[in-house]
Amino acid sequence: MLQGHQSWKFENRPVIKATATVVGPDEAMGPLVDDFDIVHGDLSLKQDSWEKAEKMLMEEAAKLAIENAGITKEDVQFYVGGDLMNQIISNGFAARTLSIPYIGIFGACSTSMEGLAISSMIVNSGSAKYAMAGTCSHNCTAEKQFRYPTEYGSQKPPTAQYTVTGAGAAVVSRHGKGPVVTGATIGRVVDMGIKDPFNMGAAMAPAAVDTITAHFRDFQREPGYYDLIVTGDLAKVGYDIASELLEKHKIPMHQTTYKDCGMMIYDYDKQSVQVQAGGSGCGCSATVTYGHIMKKLRKGELKRVLVVATGALHSPLSFQQGESIPCIAHAVAIESGEE
Amino acid sequence: MLQGHQSWKFENRPVIKATATVVGPDEAMGPLVDDFDIVHGDLSLKQDSWEKAEKMLMEEAAKLAIENAGITKEDVQFYVGGDLMNQIISNGFAARTLSIPYIGIFGACSTSMEGLAISSMIVNSGSAKYAMAGTCSHNCTAEKQFRYPTEYGSQKPPTAQYTVTGAGAAVVSRHGKGPVVTGATIGRVVDMGIKDPFNMGAAMAPAAVDTITAHFRDFQREPGYYDLIVTGDLAKVGYDIASELLEKHKIPMHQTTYKDCGMMIYDYDKQSVQVQAGGSGCGCSATVTYGHIMKKLRKGELKRVLVVATGALHSPLSFQQGESIPCIAHAVAIESGEE
């Protein structure tokens, strides 16, 4: 049901019955490696194109999430999925394989929580027994599509982010055990005029702050309600800007722990030359949330988490035409389920 | 609430409080010209790029729908929008202008009914007082992105479709007067192996039939329940194939009138050299439904309509890589509101 102006409170407590995550070799070198279900040692997944490899990441995560939930794909009534590819083809093709009624969504890297919010709303309202949310990204498909041909080997500034090769899926259920999705805040588009696609963290930070502010207003809460607030994927540059803006807005973030998925997934000491400011892509917040954070919620090491997934809604064409980068963030509250 | 396996019944009767449609010069030459709110005489809308023109179509439709509903944009809690552009930039940028919390969606030409289904579900479940659905397309942006540069002047086979320049928006409300959204069926991806992007009608027809069949199964209805069943946008080639498949599946379509938005929007006698098999694009089913059909529902000339919007989920890249075209269709039932 509606909570405040732009938020939903899920009073029927939809449960994340199971999740699954799949990552590539770069993510396997990071500190969260043990939290992922499937780790691929090569970027191609033995496919003859990177696009097919990305689709396979999504299919593997979706199938494993369904298996982990102890159900069949026929039990899942709606699959809510999206990715960064033009015409979100990774999910279109994965939905063809899955043959589950499909709701295609796009919110750039915020797609992960957009999908979880919609799936939870569907289940909460009694519009499905089971719905599944999924997103994926692949470093090489994103480089090719958004930036330069990968073979070109172009150098990047330290503000740039590194697209995560990974996919995550979550089965949301009306009943059962597991972390509960208790609410969501749908973001507005915020654009502060930044035009540099190699500095998306700076572009997205104000959108994250806008949604966090709206979430606390709508739920009449303070950050201390949560053990952890995690943005995804601002990376180092965006995280610092968001922290500063939250302080300016007098949001008492000192009450909680504030982290960013783009900073959590890689090992800075060893990987910073490659990943620059940190991770990005639909797969980043999805794998960190459905892998790492979900495990901690299940173990009771975290009780209440707010995941604020951020997305840059530009295209290569809008950049070429001189437009700035419109950004958005969607927040989902996940609680351990122990009342 | 859930109705059957892949459908929703909207028991709280969300109302389409207002709609608005905007079209370009080619659509103004068609038989539905009097049903559109704003008609542009030139394709560029005086913008310096076609992409900006497309964004403007969307903004005009959204603003006018809100005005027609007698509310302000601050009253609209969620805007559910999408289009054909890479990273759905027309809607991302329109959502920036509107500043309404934004749910980005993509289902190619089926996006129109995907958006209306989700908006209605949000309102029906008490998750918003007002939600708005919107989609747009522009002939020149679509040609440029999906096919050849427009300046190239490439010829097309008679199976090809012509992307509609137009936008449509609908404000869905918990209360008030107007046609009621009574149900929706979310489609599965269907792919019969067709690889020719100049024959999308043939590719999409099986998806339309799959969703129509699912709709009648889930609601335990027959076509005679509706005065009009309208697919969008199969155009002439796809319409004939769908009619044949429906007959094979023994769906008694003779009980009702079956039409297609892609055939309704243009005047075949005068425009067939230009539009080939008929219209397509996110703007086609949106303008026909929110313009023409909505007027007839309001006047009581139609009582019950099922709109089955179809979409081809391929990308230029998936076509180049030899993939076939995955297709989908989403159906929404709209009734005149007189019980």
Side-chain angles (χ1 to χ4, degrees):
Chain A
M1 56 173 278
L2 188 63
Q3 173 81 28
H5 189 74
Q6 65 190 84
S7 299
W8 298 323
K9 184 183 175 187
F10 301 130
E11 70 281 14
N12 295 322
R13 300 176 67 78
V15 165
I16 301 181
K17 199 172 161 70
T19 58
T21 51
V22 184
V23 298
D26 296 319
E27 294 69 31
M29 285 174 63
L32 309 184
V33 57
D34 295 334
D35 293 330
F36 304 128
D37 295 300
I38 299 174
V39 175
H40 286 281
D42 97 291
L43 274 168
S44 75
L45 280 76
K46 299 189 177 60
Q47 301 300 300
D48 60 12
S49 77
W50 285 321
E51 289 74 20
K52 286 181 188 164
E54 180 174 328
K55 181 193 76 162
M56 184 167 273
L57 291 171
M58 191 68 255
E59 289 177 357
E60 285 182 346
K63 285 178 183 174
L64 188 57
I66 293 169
E67 196 185 308
N68 288 345
I71 58 174
T72 66
K73 71 186 179 66
E74 288 71 26
D75 295 321
V76 182
Q77 287 164 308
F78 304 99
Y79 173 56
V80 186
D83 51 78
L84 298 178
M85 296 299 292
N86 292 343
Q87 286 73 47
I88 56 170
I89 46 167
S90 304
N91 272 272
F93 283 101
R96 178 179 75 177
T97 306
L98 295 167
S99 197
I100 298 168
Y102 168 57
I103 295 171
I105 57 170
F106 179 77
C109 307
S110 75
T111 307
S112 60
M113 289 305 113
E114 181 182 345
L116 185 59
I118 295 173
S119 300
S120 303
M121 212 257 294
I122 290 173
V123 169
N124 185 68
S125 68
S127 304
K129 286 179 188 166
Y130 294 106
M132 181 167 66
T135 46
C136 60
S137 56
H138 190 294
N139 185 273
C140 299
T141 63
E143 284 300 310
K144 179 174 157 182
Q145 183 186 281
F146 283 97
R147 298 174 193 105
Y148 296 100
T150 44
E151 296 84 351
Y152 185 69
S154 93
Q155 287 192 315
K156 288 182 181 177
T159 53
Q161 291 177 238
Y162 191 80
T163 305
V164 164
T165 299
V171 173
V172 182
S173 164
R174 259 210 118 161
H175 306 288
K177 280 198 167 181
V180 173
V181 185
T182 56
T185 299
I186 299 295
R188 296 183 300 173
V189 174
V190 176
D191 185 336
M192 303 301 280
I194 288 178
K195 294 185 176 190
D196 179 4
F198 290 111
N199 194 1
M200 292 197 302
M204 295 189 293
V209 173
D210 192 72
T211 298
I212 290 170
T213 309
H215 182 81
F216 291 134
R217 179 201 66 209
D218 284 356
F219 284 92
Q220 297 180 288
R221 279 179 193 159
E222 293 216 325
Y225 180 83
Y226 297 101
D227 310 321
L228 173 66
I229 296 175
V230 62
T231 47
D233 325 297
L234 298 178
K236 183 91 192 74
V237 177
Y239 176 84
D240 289 346
I241 295 171
S243 300
E244 208 175 295
L245 285 172
L246 287 162
E247 207 180 306
K248 266 195 190 163
H249 284 67
K250 301 203 192 313
I251 309 283
M253 293 294 277
H254 59 269
Q255 294 174 353
T256 184
T257 306
Y258 169 39
K259 292 186 181 181
D260 183 79
C261 296
M263 294 168 74
M264 294 162 78
I265 196 163
Y266 296 120
D267 181 334
Y268 271 96
D269 289 341
K270 291 184 196 155
Q271 297 181 279
S272 65
V273 173
Q274 184 181 16
V275 306
Q276 308 285 1
S280 68
C282 275
C284 183
S285 53
T287 55
V288 172
T289 303
Y290 298 149
H292 178 68
I293 292 171
M294 210 55 69
K295 282 202 179 161
K296 285 195 173 284
L297 281 162
R298 283 202 198 98
K299 282 186 198 159
E301 291 171 24
L302 288 171
K303 300 280 187 203
R304 294 164 170 172
V305 179
L306 185 69
V307 184
V308 188
T310 54
L313 304 176
H314 69 302
S315 80
L317 186 67
S318 71
F319 163 70
Q320 285 159 9
Q321 292 185 348
E323 291 275 7
S324 54
I325 303 176
C327 296
I328 199 162
H330 302 298
V332 174
I334 310 172
E335 307 192 20
S336 65
E338 321 281 317
E339 303 241 8
Chain B
M1 55 173 279
L2 188 63
Q3 173 80 28
H5 188 74
Q6 65 191 84
S7 299
W8 298 321
K9 185 182 174 188
F10 301 129
E11 71 280 15
N12 295 323
R13 300 176 67 79
V15 165
I16 300 179
K17 198 170 162 72
T19 58
T21 52
V22 184
V23 298
D26 297 319
E27 295 66 33
M29 288 175 61
L32 308 185
V33 58
D34 294 334
D35 293 330
F36 304 127
D37 296 299
I38 299 174
V39 175
H40 286 280
D42 100 289
L43 275 168
S44 75
L45 279 76
K46 299 190 177 62
Q47 301 299 300
D48 61 12
S49 78
W50 286 320
E51 289 74 21
K52 285 181 189 165
E54 179 174 329
K55 181 193 75 162
M56 184 168 272
L57 292 170
M58 190 68 256
E59 289 176 356
E60 285 182 347
K63 285 178 182 173
L64 188 57
I66 293 168
E67 196 184 310
N68 288 344
I71 57 175
T72 65
K73 70 185 179 69
E74 287 72 25
D75 295 322
V76 182
Q77 285 162 309
F78 304 100
Y79 172 55
V80 186
D83 51 77
L84 299 177
M85 297 298 292
N86 292 342
Q87 287 72 48
I88 57 170
I89 47 168
S90 304
N91 272 272
F93 283 101
R96 181 180 71 179
T97 305
L98 294 168
S99 198
I100 298 169
Y102 169 56
I103 295 171
I105 57 170
F106 178 78
C109 308
S110 75
T111 307
S112 60
M113 289 305 113
E114 181 183 345
L116 186 58
I118 295 173
S119 300
S120 303
M121 211 259 294
I122 290 173
V123 170
N124 184 68
S125 68
S127 305
K129 286 179 190 167
Y130 295 106
M132 182 167 65
T135 48
C136 62
S137 56
H138 191 293
N139 186 273
C140 299
T141 63
E143 285 300 309
K144 179 174 159 182
Q145 184 184 281
F146 283 97
R147 300 174 193 105
Y148 297 100
T150 44
E151 295 83 353
Y152 185 69
S154 94
Q155 286 193 315
K156 287 181 181 180
T159 53
Q161 291 177 239
Y162 191 80
T163 305
V164 164
T165 299
V171 174
V172 182
S173 163
R174 262 211 114 160
H175 306 288
K177 279 197 168 183
V180 173
V181 185
T182 57
T185 300
I186 299 296
R188 295 182 300 173
V189 174
V190 176
D191 184 338
M192 304 301 280
I194 288 176
K195 295 185 177 192
D196 179 4
F198 290 111
N199 195 0
M200 291 197 301
M204 294 189 293
V209 173
D210 192 72
T211 298
I212 290 171
T213 309
H215 181 82
F216 291 134
R217 178 201 67 208
D218 283 355
F219 284 91
Q220 298 181 288
R221 280 180 192 158
E222 292 215 328
Y225 180 83
Y226 297 100
D227 310 320
L228 174 66
I229 296 175
V230 62
T231 47
D233 326 298
L234 298 179
K236 183 91 191 76
V237 177
Y239 176 84
D240 290 345
I241 295 171
S243 301
E244 209 174 295
L245 286 172
L246 287 162
E247 208 179 307
K248 267 196 190 163
H249 283 68
K250 302 204 192 313
I251 309 283
M253 293 294 278
H254 60 269
Q255 294 174 351
T256 184
T257 305
Y258 169 38
K259 292 186 180 181
D260 182 79
C261 296
M263 294 167 74
M264 293 162 78
I265 196 161
Y266 296 120
D267 182 334
Y268 271 96
D269 289 342
K270 291 185 197 154
Q271 297 181 277
S272 66
V273 172
Q274 185 180 16
V275 307
Q276 310 284 1
S280 68
C282 275
C284 183
S285 52
T287 54
V288 173
T289 303
Y290 299 149
H292 178 69
I293 292 171
M294 211 56 67
K295 281 203 179 161
K296 285 195 173 285
L297 281 162
R298 283 202 198 99
K299 280 186 200 160
E301 289 171 24
L302 288 170
K303 299 279 185 204
R304 292 163 172 173
V305 179
L306 185 69
V307 184
V308 188
T310 54
L313 305 176
H314 69 302
S315 80
L317 185 67
S318 71
F319 163 69
Q320 285 159 9
Q321 293 186 346
E323 291 275 8
S324 55
I325 303 175
C327 295
I328 199 162
H330 302 299
V332 175
I334 311 172
E335 307 190 22
S336 65
E338 321 281 316
E339 303 242 6

